[in-house]
Amino acid sequence: MPEMDPRVIAHYETHDQTDRLLTPAAGRLELLRTQELLRRHLPAAPARIIDVGGGPGTHARWLADDGHTVHLVDPVARHLVQAAEYAACTTELGDARALTAEDDTYDCALLLGPLYHLPNREDRLTALHEARRVVRPGGPMAVAAISRWALLLDYGTVSSLTGPGVRDRLGARLRTGYIPEPDHDPTGLFTAAYFHTSTELRAEVADAGLPLAAMYGIEGPSWSLIKSIERHTGQSVAGTALFDAAVEAARLSDACSGQIDMSAHMLAVIQT
């Protein structure tokens, strides 16, 4: 298996992800919208789906509940244990750049996390090629990326942009998407990661020789607002009229490609 950045493995071994999409409002918004968007493009159940970088099985669970057969691949051993307990899926320790599945094995491939942690563009293209290899001709692929502009919106909710060195370091990330420094995230909230623009993600899909069927901003323009309210008040926004408004804003923004980069995450759907 190719070597992952040890900071990434260490982060996920020590920072539990089981509630990330289930408890905070921004996470619940991400999950709800990801479900909505994927269900537009997934093959009818029962389909064989490979969930590459599937973490603790949050998506595998609802996919299995929808009647699909899910195989989850992840480089973090802790995630495999959690996924096996949480979702009706099979699991495998593996890397998006070197899948063990044979060609044309699956009806659909999901890469909802791997591109975050592959700073080298060639590695990201390899991951895209590997997913394409294991999907049968005509099957869809769904690829997620973190928006580069989410950095600016997120920093505004969790820390001062006037702290020592923050402005310069954030500015560099906004220009390049990645800085290979030991303390990549001075807030301690995340680990080493690559941040895409929508233009860049489109270009990578094209350079991988894959036909882009659709591109979405997952959370829409209001995710940082509900995240900020929860963080600074300690009060949950989930289940409130404000959360419902954020969901509707995200749905409405599907018709405006200019809004994609304002989401925390973007989703590229490929029809092989």
Side-chain angles (χ1 to χ4, degrees):
M1 186 170 74
E3 183 178 354
M4 285 289 296
D5 186 325
R7 293 173 296 172
V8 174
I9 302 299
H11 175 81
Y12 287 113
E13 289 287 4
T14 56
H15 291 72
D16 189 75
Q17 301 292 303
T18 53
D19 290 333
R20 188 185 77 80
L21 299 179
L22 303 176
T23 301
R28 293 176 68 168
L29 174 62
E30 179 188 343
L31 176 60
L32 185 153
R33 282 280 294 161
T34 301
Q35 291 171 322
E36 287 185 347
L37 296 172
L38 288 181
R39 283 172 174 149
R40 296 180 190 176
H41 299 277
L42 289 173
R48 297 193 67 209
I49 298 176
I50 185 168
D51 185 6
V52 185
T58 305
H59 292 297
R61 180 165 179 163
W62 67 263
L63 289 164
D65 288 345
D66 279 0
H68 300 293
T69 299
V70 184
H71 182 61
L72 184 147
V73 179
D74 200 274
V76 181
R78 179 187 191 185
H79 287 166
L80 303 184
V81 174
Q82 293 171 326
E85 294 175 348
Y86 184 69
C89 66
T90 55
T91 63
E92 177 187 354
L93 189 70
D95 189 287
R97 295 165 292 178
L99 300 176
T100 62
E102 296 182 0
D103 296 359
D104 305 337
T105 306
Y106 291 93
D107 299 310
C108 173
L110 305 180
L111 286 84
L112 302 182
L115 295 197
Y116 304 176
H117 301 305
L118 296 174
N120 184 284
R121 190 175 190 272
E122 290 306 312
D123 282 342
R124 296 194 297 274
L125 293 179
T126 297
L128 292 173
H129 286 141
E130 276 292 276
R132 172 64 188 89
R133 178 183 65 78
V134 304
V135 173
R136 62 169 178 78
M141 295 167 49
V143 181
I146 305 176
S147 168
R148 190 172 302 177
W149 294 105
L151 280 166
L152 184 59
L153 295 171
D154 211 9
Y155 267 66
T157 72
V158 301
S159 64
S160 171
L161 292 175
T162 58
V166 171
R167 183 184 180 92
D168 290 342
R169 290 151 60 108
L170 180 59
R173 290 189 184 93
L174 292 174
R175 290 191 300 274
T176 66
Y178 179 82
I179 298 178
E181 57 189 12
D183 53 346
H184 185 84
D185 177 16
T187 69
L189 296 174
F190 202 34
T191 184
Y194 190 83
F195 302 87
H196 282 79
T197 66
S198 60
T199 298
E200 186 177 39
L201 182 58
R202 288 178 188 274
E204 288 183 4
V205 170
D207 288 348
L210 300 172
L212 183 66
M215 178 88 81
Y216 303 102
I218 294 178
E219 298 93 342
S222 300
W223 66 274
S224 62
L225 173 63
I226 60 177
K227 182 173 183 177
S228 181
I229 290 172
E230 286 197 338
R231 186 173 298 278
H232 293 292
T233 68
Q235 301 296 313
S236 175
V237 174
T240 68
L242 185 60
F243 179 82
D244 293 342
V247 173
E248 289 305 313
R251 289 169 176 161
L252 287 169
S253 70
D254 283 348
C256 179
S257 61
Q259 287 286 337
I260 291 175
D261 290 271
M262 298 304 292
S263 287
H265 301 81
M266 57 189 78
L267 185 73
V269 179
I270 296 155
Q271 195 67 46
T272 64

